[in-house]
Amino acid sequence: LSDKSDLNKVLTDIAELMAFKPAKFLGVANTKGSIEVGKDADIVIWNPDENFVVNKDGHTLQSKYPSSIYDGQSLKGVVKKTFVRGVCVFEDG
């Protein structure tokens, strides 16, 4: 990305594709899918620059399947906090 306007466009596109459009498709856009007064305040705070190694035995991977093609790989982007209806339900560390 060449400048902040490019980053802002990418983040706006991510929010639309991963929040607004799914909420609209599922018929819950009146309470989900965007940050607005009266909505549920479901928010994830993440560090897009932090790396982590996927390790199914070290609990960095939560899946109902016993293995993953990502096991042992270094990936980028770490969730730091998750809020559901405004209440913190996960905090890293």
Side-chain angles (χ1 to χ4, degrees):
L1 300 174
S2 61
D3 61 32
K4 278 192 170 185
S5 64
D6 290 340
L7 177 60
N8 287 340
K9 173 72 171 124
V10 168
L11 293 175
T12 299
D13 290 347
I14 289 171
E16 184 173 344
L17 292 170
M18 297 186 74
F20 178 71
K21 285 187 177 183
K24 186 175 178 183
F25 176 77
L26 294 170
V28 295
N30 60 327
T31 58
K32 307 279 186 193
S34 61
I35 301 171
E36 296 178 52
V37 173
K39 299 253 179 142
D40 282 346
D42 298 341
I43 302 170
V44 173
I45 308 297
W46 65 295
N47 181 342
D49 298 319
E50 188 173 337
N51 294 319
F52 71 100
V53 175
V54 177
N55 180 346
K56 68 178 182 67
D57 297 325
H59 306 290
T60 59
L61 176 67
Q62 294 186 15
S63 175
K64 63 182 177 179
Y65 300 103
S67 63
S68 169
I69 61 170
Y70 300 106
D71 194 30
Q73 292 188 20
S74 179
L75 301 177
K76 188 175 248 190
V78 175
V79 173
K80 298 310 226 172
K81 291 185 179 184
T82 303
F83 295 86
V84 177
R85 296 188 177 126
V87 175
C88 186
V89 296
F90 170 80
E91 186 168 2
D92 182 34

